[in-house]
Amino acid sequence: MKNDATIRIDIVKAPSSKIKSVDFENLTFGNTFTDHMMVCDYENGEWQQPKIRPYGPIELEPSAKVFHYGQAVFEGMKAFRDNDDTIWMFRPEENFNRINKSSKRLAIPEFPKEYFFKSLEALLKLDKDWIKKGFGNSLYIRPFVIATEPGVSASPGKNYKFMIICSPAQSYYTGEVRVKFSEEFSRAADGGVGFAKAAGNYGAQFYPTNLAKEEGFQQIIWTDANSHEFLEEAGTMNIFFRVNDKLLTAPISDRILDGITRKSLIAMADVYDIPVEVRKISVKEIVEAAKDGSLKEIFGAGTAAVINPINGFGYKGEKYELPKLTESYASFLKDKLMKIQYNLAEDPFGWRYEVKE
């Protein structure tokens, strides 16, 4: 492995930028992409030189194993620009570690740390104009890796492509969200790949989520595969419940993603003396709390939205509305976390990562 000082990124700049054609005041999340992308190929048993190229299509054979056996994992990260034009990332080493953890579970070779950080920083510097100032504005970063070896034999690929693409984003708002507690479908099972950011995990969610939407819900809170008695995750986010003044969240496992926002919120809650219990949470417990008025909040936590408040839920044909709070844990924690991300507050945790010019 080359050390950081000897790594060279092969950069080909786009002949012109499309940034002037983008309406940054009206962005649809994940639909607009910057001028460049990073590509690194795995061939002959090792990762080759990282390259930065103009954003555009890639060519794959129809028999590429990613299409047939789903060898694909990804990450979600963000970059922020503060009022002094400094660019920051939020806990990027956690994302790096997690994509390699996901890769290992799908028999994909792990990506070198030096390649990841050097190529990512080079990409952000090249497309820095796409990172806009303003609380809520950010650049969403999508690293992913796919199996590219042609062949339909049921075996891991020998060739892979690690890529990073970037998309400008605004403050994420989805309107009022109501969820359905899953009674039949499960996101993941013991011993499976639920802890990994495997592409197939998310594709498998679409059908039951569509069914929930037909009933008037926007998302699903998944229950355990064995009994459907315990609440685990909400759609693509970790989930928190506030019962009286205590926050509850499920423990991570081989079924539940080790969310970076989740673990950050738990750490922040401790600093601000908000009691948190990390334990199994039963459907029965939350339904009873909703009935007796002790259930104050439910919110999802993830990179895209940071925190997404939930207004109500449905279970076994019954619908439950949550109270509208003027001072919620969700809004308090979201504000504190985002101020760290945008360098508007002290970072006692050491989470900010500066992208130096």
Side-chain angles (χ1 to χ4, degrees), residues 37-38 55 67 106 109 122-123 127 145 184 196 205 212 215 217 240 249-250 293-295 297 317 335 337:
M37 62 185 185
M38 190 281 278
Y55 178 90
F67 299 136
L106 271 75
L123 181 61
D127 283 343
V145 56
E184 176 184 0
Q205 294 185 25
E215 297 179 42
F217 302 101
F240 287 81
T249 192
S294 59
L295 179 65
E297 296 180 68
D335 180 71
L337 183 58

Side-chain angles (χ1 to χ4, degrees), residues 290-354:
K291 289 180 178 178
D292 68 25
S294 59
L295 179 65
K296 306 300 184 185
E297 296 180 68
I298 305 175
F299 56 86
T303 297
V306 184
I307 288 178
N308 194 347
I310 292 168
N311 301 87
F313 69 90
Y315 180 65
K316 290 192 178 298
E318 296 290 330
K319 293 185 178 181
Y320 303 87
E321 287 293 302
L322 273 67
K324 296 186 184 297
L325 304 180
T326 54
E327 296 183 1
S328 68
Y329 284 173
S331 59
F332 175 82
L333 290 171
K334 183 174 183 177
D335 180 71
K336 294 293 185 184
L337 183 58
M338 289 181 67
K339 282 180 176 174
I340 292 176
Q341 293 174 330
Y342 287 87
N343 195 25
L344 295 172
E346 291 298 315
D347 178 14
F349 308 96
W351 289 337
R352 277 195 299 263
Y353 180 101
E354 183 179 355

Side-chain angles (χ1 to χ4, degrees), residues 24-82:
F24 283 89
E25 299 301 317
N26 294 287
L27 294 169
T28 300
F29 181 79
N31 280 13
T32 301
F33 296 92
T34 63
D35 293 319
H36 300 90
M37 62 185 185
M38 190 281 278
V39 184
C40 188
D41 292 306
Y42 184 86
E43 298 171 348
N44 302 316
E46 63 180 4
W47 289 103
Q48 306 299 306
Q49 182 184 24
K51 301 174 182 177
I52 292 178
R53 296 289 185 263
Y55 178 90
I58 58 174
E59 187 171 293
L60 294 175
E61 292 203 25
S63 58
K65 294 207 172 190
V66 64
F67 299 136
H68 302 273
Y69 301 110
Q71 267 189 295
V73 299
F74 68 95
E75 268 300 320
M77 313 167 58
K78 281 182 178 177
F80 311 88
R81 185 188 291 272
D82 70 15

Side-chain angles (χ1 to χ4, degrees), residues 167-188:
S167 176
Q170 292 178 297
S171 184
Y172 195 91
Y173 177 71
T174 59
E176 293 198 348
V177 175
R178 288 169 178 79
V179 298
K180 180 181 180 181
F181 289 0
S182 178
E183 302 168 40
E184 176 184 0
F185 297 99
S186 298
R187 178 185 179 275

Side-chain angles (χ1 to χ4, degrees), residues 96-144:
F96 166 75
N97 291 334
R98 194 169 63 183
I99 198 168
N100 275 344
K101 183 179 179 182
S102 298
S103 293
K104 186 175 181 179
R105 181 60 180 83
L106 271 75
I108 296 170
E110 295 176 48
F111 198 64
K113 183 175 182 178
E114 297 83 358
Y115 281 22
F116 181 83
F117 278 92
K118 191 148 189 176
S119 60
L120 175 54
E121 290 192 50
L123 181 61
L124 292 178
K125 291 172 189 176
L126 197 59
D127 283 343
K128 64 183 179 180
D129 290 344
W130 291 79
I131 310 172
K132 298 300 183 182
K133 287 183 184 179
F135 200 60
N137 294 327
S138 63
L139 187 71
Y140 183 78
I141 304 165
R142 172 55 63 92
F144 63 100

